[in-house]
Amino acid sequence: MPDPQTTPVDAAPVIATWSAPRTTVVTGAAGWLGRALTHRLLADPQRPHLRLLAHSTAEADDLRRFVDQHDAAAQRRIDIIIGDVARADTAARLLYQVGADTDVVHTAGIIHPRRVRQFYEINTNGTRHLAAAARDAGVRRFVHVSSNSPFGTNPDTGDTFRHDEPFHPYLGYGDSKMQGEMAVNEAVAAGLDATIVRPPWFYGPFQPPRQTTFFRMVRNGKFPVIGTGQQRRSMVYVDNLVDGILCAELTPAARGKGYWVADQRAYTVAEIVETVGRALVDEGLSVKPPTTHLPNVAALIAEVGDRVLQRVGVYQQQLHVLGEMGHTIAVDISRTTAEIGYVPKVELYEGMRRSIRWCLDQGLEL
Amino acid sequence: MTVSPAAVPPATVPPAAVLRATAAMDADVLIIGSGAGGATTAAVLAEAGLDVLVVEEGEWVEQGALVPFSLEQMDRQYRAGGVTVALGLPSIAYTEGRCAGGGTEVNSGLYWRPPGDVLQRWREQFRIVDFDPDELLAIADEVERDISVCPAPGGYTEPSEVLRRGADALGWRNGEIPRWMAYPNDQPHGQRQSMTRTYLPRAMRAGARLAVGCRVDRLRCGAGRASSADTTLADGTPGTITFRHVFVCGGAIQSPALLQRSGIRGHIGRTLAVHPTVKLAARFPEALNVPDDVPVHQVKEFAPHLSFGGSASNPGLVALSLLDQWATFQQAVTQWQHISVYYAAITSEGLGRVRSFPRMKDPVVTYGLTLRDRALLRSGLARLALLMLEAGALEVYPSFKGAPSVRNRRDLATMQQAFSATRASVMTVHLCSTVPMGELEGRTGADSFGLVHGCSNIYVNDASLLPTAPGVNPQASVMAFAIRNARHFVASGGRRA
């Protein structure tokens, strides 16, 4: 294991960090966050060996093309392992003989499944298997990507989640992610060196096609603003999130801890819609003024419907998203900055412009 | 921390100076109620040379004569033995002092100035005229000297240290709240101050009369002017008091109820505001219980919408806090010495009402919590339980029906899942805003100096006037506003400015 070395971090206290490991393992590498992370790792010549987990052959092929397109160091060794993260044998294969100079970043997860039980198969059991395998393999650091959902929503629009909060999972996703965190903590108690990062709603390049609906709704003035849109939302630009993950990975003192990773401040929903509209216009797209203002009760009805459906095992994405829109989800990142040196570099307007440009570059219609 | 009788300095008023109310009394200025509002009003008016009669429904009880938070104290110094309830889902239990000095005699004596931003908001939203927040804070300076507001000179009790330790571990803002305590000769155990030790003796030295055992049933009014009050004396016989001016200072429940019984219409009793609180009991490895004192620390990390503090924790109150889930929590009561009780208080977006009905002695009080209030009570209780775990609690017992005991972080999720405000023991000691002051039409019951709208000689001067719940212990605000308004009354010669 390399000795911790001291590196000054921009606008943050001096924090001892590790250098990059010989092997970096990424689960969910073909996903939105996984691609943003892999893209960054490929740009780093100090990462000699990447091992990436893909879910299917088709996903592996796609990931291979992505890697070939972005790999800056031709000498690098890249393994793509195919497997279902929900299965225990996948974790064993993924970490087979990786050695101690290895970090694992676990980004795989499911947020919009067809059935509620998939939350638990992937977010809970998958994490449990992987954390146990990582402990057995004796890796240097295991970074688990969690969520705000184990902590639910803020009880008041002026309330902000502090660094340390009691669990209050929001429905099936939140419960499965909470149990995922608990599985990581159990592995830590059994000797694993792990750190949890908790991003709220993220945005930015490599987004899946469903996210283009978000921009389309704003363009058409149809984004569902609940009440006057004064609910506050923490968001995180995906590259900021990658920064946060790397801080969590490389800070020895982060062992056993969990950190919010978000943009510097929470935005009101009204501000988000206005900023995205402005970013779309500045990227040369026409935007209709927002017209879809729903009463508070609409979000409440959607939330109740979502709860009822999830109780019988059914997940309905639109209901879920609308139900959550009535709430504030705001987090305080000051401890993340102080302890692991995370400083968000991109704020909402710039992040949204980059995000829109990326969509247009991919030929996606907004 | 027991105040031994020997440590109690002699009272500044011999009990003989306190009058028993009689069937026929009169005064230039009648003040109804002798608590934080009435006592300060009496002192200002008497010192200005006015003929002042203060009437009080309860009795004079020497400060320090009864064990704080004891059953005897609840019986003798609280209204209805401390059992009063605002109906709703859940119903909210509240307490009112009913004795000379009112609530100041029996509360924990913690003192918070009204926050500057709250004063600004009140001035703007309720259109309080000729109101300078700085002037009010200057009055607060005087009050703090008069009632000896100070921090504890010695160390803190262990239940207080728990709040500090848990909050520090989480990085949450916390601090000691000063109290109205005197520490003669630097004694470690202070002498609690209250109206019977400060403003009431001052008023009486300036010539004010205090008559106890006198309930005012109604004011006789015509054309917005009151000339006499119908009373019931302690022995049940009726009486009458005639006056030129009357100040109603019965607190946020009794003041609007009296105005309603007197046939006064307007924005009276429609906007009761409280700080709803929920409680938990926490058990520690060491014996820490202090039966007769409350912690002086509060956690203000989430202020104003959420605050944490310590509650009175004598064995009876420990048992009471376990009562909601008695089937599983009862065995804890045998370890009461290891248990202390804490609360989470919220600012509420809900409102209550005080309504008087003919032939009913007491008003009907109702209160409705909003969805946001309920979420905040749940979150507050969970955050407080987390703080207890961080402070080293072995087990936490939240006060709601169906509550699990909390020993670890997983239990916190279970607790939040099980929580329902409707099944919780929600209570409050901070009642206000039933006759809000200001010139905003339709939303205020009295003018910018407490003169009831539509009346020429009926004033309110107590917690009823505060336009909203201030988010902190309100008694400092009550005293400062009462003094401001009383001075204005003197300066304007008792007529409307």
Side-chain angles (χ1 to χ4, degrees):
Chain A
M1 195 181 293
D3 285 335
Q5 56 189 356
T6 302
T7 320
V9 182
D10 181 35
V14 176
I15 292 162
T17 57
W18 283 319
S19 54
R22 195 179 66 80
T23 301
T24 310
V25 180
V26 179
T27 71
W32 181 0
L33 173 58
R35 277 172 198 253
L37 174 63
T38 304
H39 185 257
R40 181 78 68 86
L41 296 174
L42 290 170
D44 180 357
Q46 305 304 315
R47 301 270 181 176
H49 178 205
L50 304 185
R51 188 172 283 187
L52 312 174
L53 180 65
H55 182 254
S56 62
T57 329
E59 207 182 68
D61 291 345
D62 199 30
L63 191 56
R64 174 57 67 187
R65 279 193 294 278
F66 178 80
V67 164
D68 290 344
Q69 193 184 337
H70 294 287
D71 193 359
Q75 299 304 309
R76 181 184 345 249
R77 179 177 150 205
I78 296 173
D79 310 326
I80 296 180
I81 312 289
I82 300 168
D84 180 355
V85 75
R87 293 171 53 120
D89 62 318
T90 303
R93 282 195 293 120
L94 180 65
L95 299 180
Y96 182 67
Q97 289 189 339
V98 285
D101 193 5
T102 297
D103 291 343
V104 179
V105 182
H106 179 36
T107 79
I110 189 161
I111 185 159
H112 298 303
R114 277 198 298 270
R115 307 292 300 184
V116 171
R117 67 178 155 73
Q118 292 173 289
F119 280 137
Y120 295 95
E121 290 167 359
I122 295 164
N123 298 339
T124 306
N125 296 340
T127 301
R128 181 173 296 120
H129 298 321
L130 195 67
R135 186 204 60 214
D136 293 346
V139 304
R140 183 178 73 172
R141 170 65 46 90
F142 180 87
V143 178
H144 172 60
V145 180
S146 185
S147 160
N148 57 274
S149 276
F151 302 91
T153 60
N154 296 89
D156 180 82
T157 49
D159 191 81
T160 300
F161 284 133
R162 302 305 198 267
H163 174 69
D164 206 345
E165 288 282 347
F167 286 127
H168 181 51
Y170 191 81
L171 293 167
Y173 177 71
D175 191 47
S176 68
K177 292 296 273 188
M178 174 185 78
Q179 294 194 40
E181 286 204 12
M182 287 173 174
V184 171
N185 289 336
E186 280 161 24
V188 168
L192 177 69
D193 182 320
T195 301
I196 294 171
V197 298
R198 302 178 180 125
W201 177 4
F202 55 84
Y203 61 98
F206 309 111
Q207 61 180 40
R210 65 177 150 82
Q211 284 292 320
T212 53
T213 14
F214 169 70
F215 289 122
R216 219 169 295 138
M217 283 198 285
V218 175
R219 276 201 73 187
N220 295 325
K222 298 272 189 244
F223 188 85
V225 173
I226 308 292
T228 53
Q230 292 311 298
Q231 306 88 348
R232 290 159 59 244
R233 280 310 185 92
S234 278
M235 298 180 73
V236 58
Y237 181 61
V238 71
D239 275 350
N240 291 348
L241 175 52
V242 169
D243 287 342
I245 288 171
L246 297 179
C247 289
E249 180 205 353
L250 298 176
T251 306
R255 180 185 178 132
K257 298 188 174 168
Y259 294 99
W260 298 117
V261 176
D263 292 354
Q264 192 62 50
R265 62 181 179 91
Y267 316 101
T268 64
V269 170
E271 182 184 5
I272 293 167
V273 172
E274 183 273 327
T275 306
V276 172
R278 197 151 42 85
L280 285 163
V281 168
D282 292 348
E283 289 296 332
L285 297 166
S286 65
V287 173
K288 291 182 190 154
T291 52
T292 310
H293 288 273
L294 298 176
N296 291 314
V297 71
L300 189 62
I301 290 168
E303 186 182 336
V304 169
D306 188 17
R307 276 180 199 282
V308 170
L309 284 180
Q310 290 207 19
R311 205 166 292 158
V312 296
V314 177
Y315 179 86
Q316 217 284 339
Q317 185 181 335
Q318 280 81 10
L319 270 186
H320 181 78
V321 171
L322 186 58
E324 225 187 28
M325 284 312 296
H327 291 287
T328 284
I329 301 174
V331 304
D332 173 4
I333 63 161
S334 55
R335 197 81 78 89
T336 315
T337 302
E339 292 187 4
I340 64 172
Y342 164 71
V343 179
K345 296 194 182 76
V346 177
E347 53 76 64
L348 187 63
Y349 169 76
E350 177 58 25
M352 284 297 174
R353 283 200 66 165
R354 290 189 198 180
S355 183
I356 294 160
R357 223 173 296 149
W358 183 86
C359 288
L360 297 176
D361 288 348
Q362 306 303 305
L364 293 170
E365 201 163 320
L366 295 182
Chain B
M1 228 220 259
T2 311
V3 180
S4 69
V8 179
T12 42
V13 173
V18 179
L19 310 173
R20 302 253 12 126
T22 57
M25 297 188 285
D26 67 83
D28 200 18
V29 181
L30 171 65
I31 297 173
I32 302 168
S34 62
T40 46
T41 306
V44 171
L45 301 192
E47 284 171 0
L50 295 171
D51 171 42
V52 173
L53 170 65
V54 183
V55 293
E56 166 57 48
E57 184 175 353
E59 299 294 325
W60 179 285
V61 177
E62 202 57 48
Q63 179 58 233
L66 301 179
V67 177
F69 314 111
S70 64
L71 280 175
E72 192 190 5
Q73 184 178 58
M74 291 181 90
D75 189 42
R76 288 183 56 191
Q77 291 185 289
Y78 285 70
R79 179 168 300 279
V83 187
T84 34
V85 167
L87 302 173
L89 286 173
S91 290
I92 300 178
Y94 64 87
T95 53
E96 290 178 280
R98 193 192 61 179
C99 57
T104 71
E105 305 298 313
V106 292
N107 65 17
S108 48
L110 299 171
Y111 178 94
W112 265 104
R113 283 180 167 218
D117 58 325
V118 171
L119 294 177
Q120 290 290 356
R121 203 173 65 231
W122 285 349
R123 180 171 73 171
E124 283 152 29
Q125 289 182 359
F126 292 81
R127 296 203 208 119
I128 305 176
V129 300
D130 291 335
F131 171 51
D132 176 4
D134 288 339
E135 179 203 323
L136 197 81
L137 295 175
I139 296 175
D141 282 338
E142 294 174 41
V143 169
E144 286 155 30
R145 278 193 303 275
D146 291 344
I147 63 174
S148 159
V149 171
C150 59
Y156 305 117
T157 62
E158 190 53 28
S160 204
E161 291 285 2
V162 161
L163 282 168
R164 180 164 76 161
R165 192 164 69 229
D168 283 350
L170 290 161
W172 290 353
R173 192 157 56 85
N174 68 93
E176 182 195 349
I177 312 308
R179 293 200 283 185
W180 44 52
M181 282 284 210
Y183 297 93
N185 311 320
D186 271 345
Q187 289 173 30
H189 305 318
Q191 165 62 59
R192 201 180 170 297
Q193 299 299 290
S194 65
M195 292 303 117
T196 60
R197 301 192 71 83
T198 55
Y199 286 102
L200 283 175
R202 217 172 104 178
M204 290 155 82
R205 276 197 301 274
R209 291 166 290 154
L210 169 65
V212 298
C214 180
R215 173 188 159 88
V216 177
D217 297 313
R218 60 176 302 194
L219 302 174
R220 296 254 168 209
C221 313
R225 195 169 173 79
S227 53
S228 69
D230 295 347
T231 62
T232 303
L233 307 183
D235 62 4
T237 58
T240 304
I241 307 171
T242 55
F243 51 80
R244 283 212 301 141
H245 301 279
V246 60
F247 280 79
V248 181
C249 305
I253 304 296
Q254 303 305 321
S255 288
L258 174 59
L259 295 178
Q260 290 169 348
R261 289 197 301 267
S262 307
I264 292 165
R265 306 261 176 269
H267 192 85
I268 309 288
R270 291 164 190 270
T271 47
L272 171 67
V274 306
H275 297 144
T277 66
V278 279
K279 286 188 178 181
L280 56 75
R283 182 168 60 84
F284 291 85
E286 68 281 4
L288 81 167
N289 187 288
V290 178
D292 60 354
D293 200 6
V294 295
V296 294
H297 282 88
Q298 285 183 1
V299 179
K300 287 286 180 184
E301 174 72 15
F302 302 94
H305 57 280
L306 189 54
S307 309
F308 308 131
S311 302
S313 299
N314 67 39
L317 293 171
V318 169
L320 193 63
S321 71
L322 301 169
L323 205 58
D324 287 304
Q325 190 53 30
W326 190 248
T328 48
F329 291 175
Q330 60 177 304
Q331 78 286 358
V333 83
T334 58
Q335 300 183 66
W336 68 269
Q337 283 153 315
H338 293 253
I339 293 176
S340 200
V341 183
Y342 297 89
Y343 70 82
I346 67 165
T347 57
S348 170
E349 288 183 349
L351 282 177
R353 287 193 77 154
V354 177
R355 291 186 184 90
S356 298
F357 294 100
R359 286 186 293 283
M360 279 179 67
K361 185 170 174 246
D362 293 312
V364 174
V365 181
T366 52
Y367 197 88
L369 297 169
T370 65
L371 277 176
R372 169 268 188 198
D373 291 349
R374 291 162 195 270
L376 204 46
L377 287 170
R378 187 253 312 142
S379 164
L381 198 60
R383 282 166 164 167
L384 178 61
L386 174 65
L387 183 152
M388 291 297 140
L389 293 179
E390 289 291 308
L394 299 174
E395 195 167 18
V396 175
Y397 314 95
S399 291
F400 65 91
K401 288 185 186 65
S405 82
V406 174
R407 292 163 180 267
N408 56 46
R409 292 193 174 220
R410 184 184 289 263
D411 296 339
L412 289 172
T414 313
M415 191 213 99
Q416 297 209 67
Q417 188 74 35
F419 181 85
S420 152
T422 306
R423 291 200 304 268
S425 282
V426 182
M427 61 89 61
T428 187
V429 290
H430 300 161
L431 304 146
C432 32
S433 314
T434 45
V435 191
M437 64 193 286
E439 310 302 330
L440 180 64
E441 211 167 312
R443 191 60 183 76
T444 53
D447 76 0
S448 299
F449 296 95
L451 178 64
V452 176
H453 285 315
C455 297
S456 56
N457 70 339
I458 307 173
Y459 298 80
V460 170
N461 214 17
D462 61 18
S464 314
L465 291 183
L466 303 183
T468 62
V472 297
N473 302 52
Q475 222 144 43
S477 310
V478 173
M479 290 187 279
F481 271 107
I483 291 172
R484 164 191 180 264
N485 295 347
R487 284 183 181 160
H488 180 265
F489 175 84
V490 170
S492 60
R495 288 178 305 278
R496 181 148 197 201

